[in-house]
Amino acid sequence: MFDFTPDADLPKPELYRQLVDACDAITGGEPDAVANMANVAALMAEFLPALNWAGFYRLVGGELVLGPFVGRPACIRIPLGQGVCGTAAGDAQTQLVEDVHAFPGHIACDAVSRSELVVPVIRGGQVVAVIDLDSPDLARFDAQDAAGIERLADLLADRI
Ligand code: SME
């Protein structure tokens, strides 16, 4: 049994250090990408407060395809350049969206989502996936969240 015991009251840098360490421990040495994304989605949902969706979209055949996640069922395919995820993948840039209703082209998978953080996972200079976090709270994510998830994306680049 894996028993990680996150403390959501920790300062964000420490919370993300513990999250990245847990993801490192659980994915290290495991070659199966689906297993690794599934466990990382579960850990993000356990460690990070005030989320309603946490998971992955993978770049497959030039579009994003839904990967392992925790949350409500979500849209399956997203073209590059569309929505928050497609923008992050198309530009290879983190998207930190304080109010999804103000993001042109936002794709609503769960009507309660109000803010979103999407970070590309880049391997060998190519986007291979994105990590997507949604929150029911406005402006849930800040630069510390983005930095923490970017460290996680770096860790996962050759594990998913
Ligand atoms: N809101 C995303 C779609 C994915 S769901 O949030 C899970 C977007 O605009 O790309």
Side-chain angles (χ1 to χ4, degrees):
M1 186 178 82
F2 294 105
D3 188 15
F4 300 103
T5 51
D7 175 358
D9 293 331
L10 287 172
K12 282 185 182 180
E14 177 60 16
L15 182 64
Y16 279 100
R17 192 188 66 72
Q18 292 191 10
L19 171 61
V20 171
D21 283 354
C23 292
D24 187 16
I26 209 165
T27 62
E30 172 51 60
D32 189 274
V34 173
N36 287 339
M37 286 187 281
N39 266 332
V40 170
L43 284 171
M44 292 192 297
E46 281 203 18
F47 272 73
L48 303 175
L51 302 184
N52 60 296
W53 204 92
F56 292 83
Y57 280 86
R58 299 159 300 131
L59 194 61
V60 180
E63 64 181 344
L64 290 174
V65 180
L66 184 63
F69 67 93
V70 175
R72 299 196 70 194
C75 47
I76 299 167
R77 293 176 185 269
I78 300 176
L80 289 185
Q82 289 191 19
V84 185
C85 293
T87 301
D91 296 349
Q93 293 285 341
T94 293
Q95 296 292 314
L96 203 173
V97 180
E98 292 193 345
D99 179 359
V100 296
H101 296 164
F103 188 94
H106 168 254
I107 299 164
C109 292
D110 182 342
V112 308
S113 294
R114 294 306 310 275
S115 58
E116 184 161 3
L117 173 64
V118 182
V119 173
V121 179
I122 298 171
R123 180 167 64 232
Q126 302 293 319
V127 174
V128 294
V130 299
I131 299 173
D132 183 15
L133 301 179
D134 285 56
S135 173
D137 298 344
L138 266 179
R140 154 69 180 81
F141 306 105
D142 62 18
Q144 290 185 323
D145 295 290
I149 297 299
E150 285 168 355
R151 285 184 48 220
L152 183 56
D154 285 345
L155 172 78
L156 296 176
D158 59 3
R159 299 186 185 189
I160 65 170

